[in-house]
Amino acid sequence: MTDLIRSAGLSYYPEVARSVGLDPNQMMRKVRLPLACLDKPDIPIAVTGLRRLLELSAEASGAEDFGLRLAERGGLTNFGAVGLIVREQATVGEAIEAFSRFIHVHHDGMRLDVRRDKRTVILTLHLRGRQPRAPRQSIDMALGSVHRIIQSLFGGDWRPLEVRLHYPPPLDRKRYRDFFGCRVTFNADDDAILLSAHDLERRIPSAHPLIANYLRKRIEAIESRPSSWEAKVDEVVRTLLASGDCTVERVAEHLACTRRTIHRRLAASATSFSAILDAQRADLVVQLIEDPARPLADIAVQLGFSAQSAMARWFRGRFGCTITDWRKGVRPLSAQPSATAA
């Protein structure tokens, strides 16, 4: 199954790529990631595509620390709603627990285990993938981001006790010691950050309990990420339709596969790309036409129709009335948008 991550993880990729002599757009095309995700942080993209991009960028530039460079520029804002709820917790310990609890909303293949005894806390990173371990640059970016988040909660004066990485040491170990500010052990059994149990008691001055409670309820309402191919395609289609650029080829780019794979997987689930697209169009069109000032020609383009007339024929067939009638309040009982979208 394809794991997805919010494209916000690539927010600083162009800047980092250029700093090591790479053309970011060219690199994105090499791994078949859509360029649009550089400007739209909430678009879901395949984790496999992101991993290929990081590894290829490190190899092409000779920058062993490419993943760390991305983590260095990122922070809580890269994690969207997850970052917001982390920031509003009362203590560092509660913030870490919230991050561990909700990280899958941002990256559905990432897990952060928290183990604690009287003196130390071990934060162990797990990145799901086909191989036994995720590639090196993905580990650096993810664990480096966790480090930066904790550091930001302390205001920059925090250092972990130790960092453990499962892969062999790089040529420049000092770069890793400087980034993490502590001893870094390579060829370890896991990928983890060790910190003092006392650190978890540190209060976060900017925290707001009421906001934290509100955000928790909001994120709990959206935390269930899709697990089937049908649901993942549905999520990507819904996102791309809202941006006005939804084709099976675009969806395939986001899922790091071919259009043939999408058709085959959906057929195995007794559905099709056309059926999913039709259902999402039906949900979106009734929202768009509520605004009488929005030209129907523009709506047709956003929904991927060849012409306004094509959308008009589809709408009549789908809802049993014209768009004009719908705007006047006509609602045929047999043509509710949720009836086939379920």
Side-chain angles (χ1 to χ4, degrees):
M1 182 58 63
T2 298
D3 285 327
L4 300 178
I5 183 173
R6 292 174 62 254
S7 54
L10 287 174
S11 297
Y12 293 95
Y13 177 77
E15 176 186 335
V16 174
R18 293 189 187 100
S19 73
V20 293
L22 300 178
D23 180 335
N25 290 355
Q26 183 182 57
M27 299 302 293
M28 294 278 286
R29 292 190 188 98
K30 282 186 177 181
V31 299
R32 299 181 63 232
L33 277 174
L35 296 179
C37 70
L38 295 176
D39 302 316
K40 299 172 182 176
D42 287 317
I43 294 180
I45 58 174
V47 171
T48 52
L50 173 62
R51 288 178 179 174
R52 286 199 304 269
L53 180 66
L54 297 184
E55 295 300 319
L56 185 61
S57 298
E59 180 182 348
S61 65
E64 282 187 303
D65 63 339
F66 194 88
L68 284 186
R69 293 180 186 227
L70 278 172
E72 200 166 37
R73 286 165 172 78
L76 284 170
T77 55
N78 290 82
F79 292 87
V82 177
L84 290 176
I85 196 170
V86 167
R87 186 184 62 188
E88 299 299 338
Q89 300 304 307
T91 66
V92 170
E94 291 175 17
I96 291 174
E97 290 291 343
F99 187 84
S100 174
R101 168 75 174 79
F102 295 113
I103 185 55
H104 66 280
V105 174
H106 170 75
H107 180 336
D108 57 14
M110 179 175 172
R111 194 172 84 247
L112 190 69
D113 288 341
V114 183
R115 289 186 292 130
R116 177 176 182 173
D117 59 30
K118 291 183 178 180
R119 295 187 177 182
T120 61
V121 178
I122 303 177
L123 310 180
T124 304
L125 175 73
H126 299 278
L127 295 179
R128 186 166 56 201
R130 294 180 180 178
Q131 299 178 353
R133 296 288 181 92
R136 175 174 179 164
Q137 300 303 325
S138 296
I139 292 291
D140 283 1
M141 179 179 172
L143 202 64
S145 296
V146 173
H147 173 270
R148 291 284 292 175
I149 287 172
I150 299 174
Q151 195 171 55
S152 71
L153 298 175
F154 275 88
D157 61 346
W158 171 81
R159 298 290 184 273
L161 300 175
E162 181 187 2
V163 167
R164 298 170 181 169
L165 297 167
H166 80 271
Y167 54 76
L171 295 176
D172 185 6
R173 297 190 187 201
K174 184 176 183 299
R175 165 65 172 136
Y176 283 75
R177 290 196 300 269
D178 290 345
F179 178 90
F180 289 108
C182 66
R183 179 179 64 187
V184 179
T185 301
F186 295 93
N187 289 318
D189 293 333
D190 49 24
D191 302 293
I193 296 177
L194 280 70
L195 57 155
S196 169
H198 180 70
D199 290 341
L200 271 60
E201 300 171 8
R202 176 75 171 260
R203 300 199 67 79
I204 302 173
S206 61
H208 197 298
L210 292 179
I211 294 178
N213 187 52
Y214 168 77
L215 290 170
R216 179 177 291 274
K217 291 179 180 178
R218 288 291 302 273
I219 204 170
E220 285 175 348
I222 65 171
E223 70 170 320
S224 180
R225 295 299 304 271
S227 57
S228 67
W229 263 92
E230 180 180 355
K232 287 180 182 289
V233 171
D234 187 77
E235 180 185 27
V236 176
V237 166
R238 183 169 61 253
T239 303
L240 294 184
L241 267 182
S243 66
D245 185 22
C246 183
T247 63
V248 66
E249 289 81 11
R250 284 282 182 266
V251 173
E253 285 182 349
H254 283 264
L255 296 177
C257 66
T258 65
R259 58 181 294 172
R260 185 174 300 177
T261 298
I262 289 178
H263 290 314
R264 186 179 71 252
R265 296 276 190 170
L266 292 179
S269 300
T271 187
S272 67
F273 180 80
S274 297
I276 291 175
L277 178 61
D278 187 73
Q280 287 299 333
R281 275 175 169 170
D283 277 346
L284 184 56
V285 72
V286 295
Q287 300 175 45
L288 297 178
I289 63 175
E290 286 299 319
D291 180 4
R294 185 189 291 265
L296 293 181
D298 291 351
I299 296 176
V301 170
Q302 177 170 347
L303 295 180
F305 289 101
S306 59
Q308 180 179 331
S309 58
M311 182 180 71
R313 289 192 298 273
W314 168 82
F315 191 94
R316 179 186 285 273
R318 189 68 165 73
F319 294 100
C321 65
T322 66
I323 294 177
T324 300
D325 289 339
W326 185 276
R327 281 176 164 172
K328 291 179 179 178
V330 175
R331 298 290 190 274
L333 295 177
S334 61
Q336 296 302 317
S338 60
T340 58

